[in-house]
Amino acid sequence: MSDEPDFDYKVFCSESYDNTTVEAGVCAAFDYVDETNYGLNTFFLLFAASFVFFMQTGFAMLCAGSVRQKNVKNIMLKNILDACGGALGFWSVGYAFAYGGADSSKKGFIGNTGFFLSGFTEGDQLIGWFFQFAFAATAATIVAGTVAERCKFEAYLAYSLMLTGFVYPVIVYSIWSSSGFLSAFNGEPFLGCGMHDFAGSGVVHLTGGATALIAAKVLGPRIGRFHDADGNPLPEPVSFAPHSVALQVLGTFVLWVGWYGFNPGSTLLISNSTAAAVTALAAVTTTIAAAAGSVSALFTDMLLSRMKTGHSEYDITMCMNGALGGLVAVTAGCSVMAPWAALVTGIIAGWVYIFFSSLLVKLRIDDAVDAVPVHFGNGIWGCIAVGLFAEPSRVANAYSDHGNYGLFYGTGANLLGAQVVGVLWVIGWVTVIMTPYFLLLNFAGLFRVDAIEEEVGLDISHHKGAAYDISGPSEDILQKFEISRSQRKLEMPQGVPAPLVSAPTPVHVVVSEDAA
């Protein structure tokens, strides 16, 4: 290693040089590179944030396809307002609570500067807010599907603002800001490494999934799901068929595409070779885990069904939610796992989804879109997987070479311990805040719609009519049409000569007298 000091161009260019000197030319070149990198990184975050925001479309399509036809308007409106509420809540107080006053030399609980984006004038500050807002809106959207078909609109607005404005930002501050007590970016990280949650298996998905689980438990199941009309438990739960599998599949693919902004975009910059390598790895591991989760859930469910009934059936819901489970699980470790580890993570994610989905049914907790198994179950598994599979060289690229890696690499259990503590912290914080919040809404009669309104559907009872106009022509109009058609005559167009048809030549048969 050379003993020569590193060249610091900023110190070098802080001197004043004549424009005709070589030194001035060198500094001009460095300035040009800096400006280019600044623009490149800003565009990279704009691209990534737009993809993450586009995931709102995926959630909307998936939820709309999963619910019954009578509730499509309601769930679509809630998805739109997730984006609106997330933007306003994160602009006013959420971002300030999440990142305000962060300093790696200290630790804190919540941010306290930057309310209403005060003082945000630079491009990197503004694009940073836009990127983080897209993540906050995602956390709120997770809950929408779980409580679909029976949650009051007012309650949805209330808890959506609470989640994006306070609950989620505190978790972000603790794990992603440099002042967080679990942050890997703090000067003295927890257990020497801090929690490694690169793109949010815990911060985003576990937060949303835990909130959804509590909401579903407090809100109760949909009418007829687990009990008959008299309130008696049914021997077997009733499954409400989705009204559009096509929309479900479309939503799944849109979410998968959006994840390429979610995971690779969390590198936050792209202007150097290390960042580019981390981004590329995140794209690869994201793809492999999604595919593995989908295949794992589909064929495991098929085998379980075959063992039970003797028939092989392939459930497209398992295929879709298995892919989403794999995406959630790899989100925490997409930057530190080798591709083979992403494959294992995805396979196990498919099993985790099946387990939690079955567990909810046994506990008689009604999740209209199975968001809790996907986001809560695999949010936990994704965080734990980092503590097992984080590879030393990849950790050094994405974080720092702190010496604490995955358990399978024989460097101790510090990272795994930090991951477990992070999972417990997220679940504990959400439970402590959102449980009394939902109970209060329920006690005040603001949480669940009236039984009759639920039966008729929220589109008609709350949103001025059904989502689809499937009414045909009236019987009276149909009768008039039939009469008109029966009386219609084919008329020869005017000016067209009639065809000349010659008369048939008469045939004379002569019968001889002898024949007679």
Side-chain angles (χ1 to χ4, degrees), residues 107 174-177 180-198 383 386-387 390 395 399-400 402 404-405 413-422:
K107 292 185 179 181
S174 65
I175 298 173
W176 281 349
S177 85
F181 74 96
L182 286 173
S183 175
F185 310 106
N186 188 263
E188 297 181 1
F190 178 68
L191 295 180
C193 55
M195 183 181 184
H196 287 17
D197 187 5
F198 188 72
C383 293
V386 174
V395 170
Y399 294 92
S400 64
H402 48 61
N404 296 286
Y405 311 112
N414 280 13
L415 180 56
L416 179 60
Q419 299 301 108
V420 171
V421 171

Side-chain angles (χ1 to χ4, degrees), residues 277-304:
V278 172
T279 302
L281 174 65
V284 171
T285 52
T286 298
T287 304
I288 293 174
S294 179
V295 172
S296 170
L298 176 67
F299 285 98
T300 300
D301 178 73
M302 181 273 292
L303 291 173
L304 292 174

Side-chain angles (χ1 to χ4, degrees), residues 267-494:
T267 309
L268 303 182
L269 73 161
I270 196 70
S271 59
N272 62 65
S273 59
T274 301
V278 172
T279 302
L281 174 65
V284 171
T285 52
T286 298
T287 304
I288 293 174
S294 179
V295 172
S296 170
L298 176 67
F299 285 98
T300 300
D301 178 73
M302 181 273 292
L303 291 173
L304 292 174
S305 177
R306 184 170 184 173
M307 292 168 59
K308 185 177 181 180
T309 65
H311 302 288
S312 297
E313 295 180 325
Y314 301 90
D315 189 347
I316 192 171
T317 300
M318 290 291 167
C319 183
M320 294 184 295
N321 286 339
L324 296 178
L327 289 166
V328 170
V330 80
T331 295
C334 59
S335 63
V336 297
M337 290 181 180
W340 68 265
L343 177 71
V344 175
T345 299
I347 291 173
I348 297 176
W351 299 337
V352 169
Y353 165 71
I354 293 174
F355 170 77
F356 273 91
S357 182
S358 300
L359 181 62
L360 285 186
V361 174
K362 290 181 180 179
L363 296 175
R364 295 185 175 269
I365 297 175
D366 185 17
D367 184 347
V369 299
D370 257 1
V372 172
V374 170
H375 299 279
F376 179 80
N378 277 300
I380 294 174
W381 162 235
C383 293
I384 301 302
V386 174
L388 301 176
F389 302 126
E391 188 176 301
S393 61
R394 302 182 196 275
V395 170
N397 284 342
Y399 294 92
S400 64
D401 193 7
H402 48 61
N404 296 286
Y405 311 112
L407 189 65
F408 293 157
Y409 290 91
T411 58
N414 280 13
L415 180 56
L416 179 60
Q419 299 301 108
V420 171
V421 171
V423 168
L424 295 176
W425 154 244
V426 172
I427 296 174
W429 171 250
V430 172
T431 302
V432 167
I433 300 300
M434 296 308 294
T435 300
Y437 190 76
F438 285 129
L439 288 173
L440 182 61
L441 288 175
N442 198 44
F443 178 77
L446 299 175
F447 203 8
R448 182 162 188 148
V449 299
D450 180 81
I452 297 177
E453 294 177 336
E454 182 179 343
E455 288 282 8
V456 75
L458 302 185
D459 289 356
I460 292 176
S461 61
H462 285 71
H463 304 295
K464 300 184 178 181
Y468 301 108
D469 181 10
I470 56 176
S471 61
S474 65
E475 289 294 328
D476 184 48
I477 294 296
L478 287 175
Q479 289 179 2
K480 291 181 179 180
F481 170 74
E482 291 296 336
I483 294 172
S484 173
R485 185 166 63 176
S486 65
Q487 294 177 344
R488 196 176 304 153
K489 294 180 179 180
L490 181 63
E491 298 180 357
M492 186 66 60
Q494 297 292 331

Side-chain angles (χ1 to χ4, degrees), residues 9-96:
Y9 79 91
K10 292 184 179 179
V11 175
F12 177 78
C13 295
S14 64
E15 302 291 335
S16 297
Y17 301 105
D18 186 273
N19 290 336
T20 60
T21 63
V22 174
E23 290 84 354
V26 170
C27 291
F30 278 121
D31 289 341
Y32 178 79
V33 171
D34 283 346
E35 291 181 2
T36 302
N37 287 343
Y38 186 90
L40 180 62
N41 291 331
T42 300
F43 179 78
F44 175 68
L45 279 184
L46 175 62
F47 147 79
S50 298
F51 266 50
V52 176
F53 185 71
F54 187 57
M55 292 173 74
Q56 297 291 330
T57 305
F59 282 117
M61 296 299 100
L62 180 60
C63 290
S66 299
V67 301
R68 288 167 289 182
Q69 181 179 309
K70 61 184 180 180
N71 295 305
V72 172
K73 265 188 181 180
N74 180 263
I75 195 66
M76 295 285 275
L77 181 57
K78 287 175 180 176
N79 275 273
I80 294 173
L81 290 179
D82 268 329
C84 299
L88 297 177
F90 214 63
W91 162 71
S92 56
V93 297
Y95 190 83

Side-chain angles (χ1 to χ4, degrees), residues 119-200:
F120 280 51
T121 57
E122 300 296 327
D124 57 344
Q125 294 175 315
L126 296 172
I127 198 63
W129 175 88
F130 178 57
F131 183 77
Q132 297 299 336
F133 139 72
F135 277 67
T138 299
T141 305
I142 292 169
V143 188
T146 296
V147 299
E149 301 194 308
R150 74 258 198 215
C151 178
K152 277 190 174 181
F153 193 68
E154 298 86 347
Y156 184 78
L157 292 177
Y159 77 69
S160 182
L161 289 173
M162 181 67 169
L163 186 62
T164 57
F166 180 63
V167 177
Y168 171 78
V170 170
I171 293 173
V172 170
Y173 189 89
S174 65
I175 298 173
W176 281 349
S177 85
S178 58
S179 293
F181 74 96
L182 286 173
S183 175
F185 310 106
N186 188 263
E188 297 181 1
F190 178 68
L191 295 180
C193 55
M195 183 181 184
H196 287 17
D197 187 5
F198 188 72

